[in-house]
């Protein structure tokens, strides 16, 4: 009898041990399953966030063709011309006016490509980015050679263009109540205003060399007329 009871107790202990192992095993599987689901939810959330942010990060303020033109021209003033025309192209799309001429200045110049596309907010964002890059280019040259004659020439061009842009922006403000558009307009206006303030510090523009060259020719022509009359 005692032996049977001992056997029953050992059997009961074994079953209890097995049951405990099974319960532990089920608990571990549950924790692993929960951890897997939790990790999956985190990854899915990150993917959704990246997908939502990606469009804002992938748009460049210049088209590929315009970027090629910027790389083609190493001279600062020529680059500024590219930036100005790139901004003008976007204002033309926004205002529904004719695109500026894209006739090549030199034979090997890259093509301008198709006119830029996008919403008004995107195009205004492009213009703000273009002005940022133009300012950066001028700053870079200034650090390398602050006496470069291209600095004042380039800044004068950019200042004149920025004045035109401010006038257009004032008109655009009256045409929209969209908060995103108004914010984009303000960003462009801030960049343009900074450029204009910097342009005010420039010394007076020197007289054009062409005018200086024309005066001697005009005087010689008058001298010829006088000699003909006296003869």
């Amino acid at each position: 009898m005692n032996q049977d009871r001992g056997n029953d107790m050992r059997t009961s202990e074994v079953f209890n041990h097995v049951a405990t192992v099974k319960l532990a095993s089920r608990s571990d599987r549950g924790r692993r399953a929960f951890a897997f689901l939790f990790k999956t939810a985190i990854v899915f959330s990150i993917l959704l966030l990246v997908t939502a942010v990606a469009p804002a990060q992938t748009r460049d303020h210049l088209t590929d063709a315009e970027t090629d033109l910027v790389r083609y021209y190493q001279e600062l003033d020529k680059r500024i011309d590219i930036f100005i025309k790139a901004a003008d192209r976007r204002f033309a799309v926004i205002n529904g006016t004719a695109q500026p001429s894209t006739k090549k200045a030199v034979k090997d110049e890259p093509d301008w490509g198709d006119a830029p596309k996008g919403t008004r907010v995107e195009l205004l964002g492009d213009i703000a980015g273009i002005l940022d890059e133009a300012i950066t280019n001028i700053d870079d040259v200034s650090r390398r050679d602050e006496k470069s004659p291209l600095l004042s020439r380039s800044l004068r061009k950019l200042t004149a263009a920025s004045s035109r842009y401010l006038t257009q922006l004032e008109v655009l403000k009256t045409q929209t109540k969209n908060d995103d558009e108004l914010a984009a307009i303000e960003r462009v206006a801030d960049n343009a205003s900074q450029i204009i303030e910097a342009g005010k510090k420039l010394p007076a523009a020197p007289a054009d060399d062409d005018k200086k060259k024309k005066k001697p020719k005009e005087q010689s022509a008058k001298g010829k007329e006088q000699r003909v009359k006296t003869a």
Side-chain angles (χ1 to χ4, degrees), residues 105-124:
V106 293
K107 184 178 179 180
D108 296 335
E109 181 183 274
D111 293 327
W112 277 89
D114 296 333
K117 299 177 182 178
T119 64
R120 289 164 71 97
V121 173
E122 288 173 334
L123 293 169
L124 286 166

Side-chain angles (χ1 to χ4, degrees), residues 8 27 33 59 74 76 81 140 152 155 169 209 215 222:
D8 290 341
S27 178
R59 183 179 176 88
Q74 298 298 312
L76 178 62
D81 287 338
D140 289 344
S152 57
L155 185 53
L169 292 172
D209 292 337
K215 288 181 179 179
K222 289 180 180 179

Side-chain angles (χ1 to χ4, degrees), residues 15-33:
F15 278 119
N16 287 336
H17 175 71
V18 171
T20 303
V21 170
K22 287 183 177 180
L23 287 172
S25 178
R26 288 177 182 175
S27 178
D28 289 342
R29 285 200 299 269
R31 284 196 295 270
R32 286 197 295 269

Side-chain angles (χ1 to χ4, degrees), residues 124 172-173 176-187:
L124 286 166
L172 291 176
K173 277 184 182 180
T176 182
K177 293 183 179 180
N178 183 284
D179 290 339
D180 290 336
E181 285 187 24
L182 290 171
I185 289 171
E186 286 302 319
R187 185 184 168 201

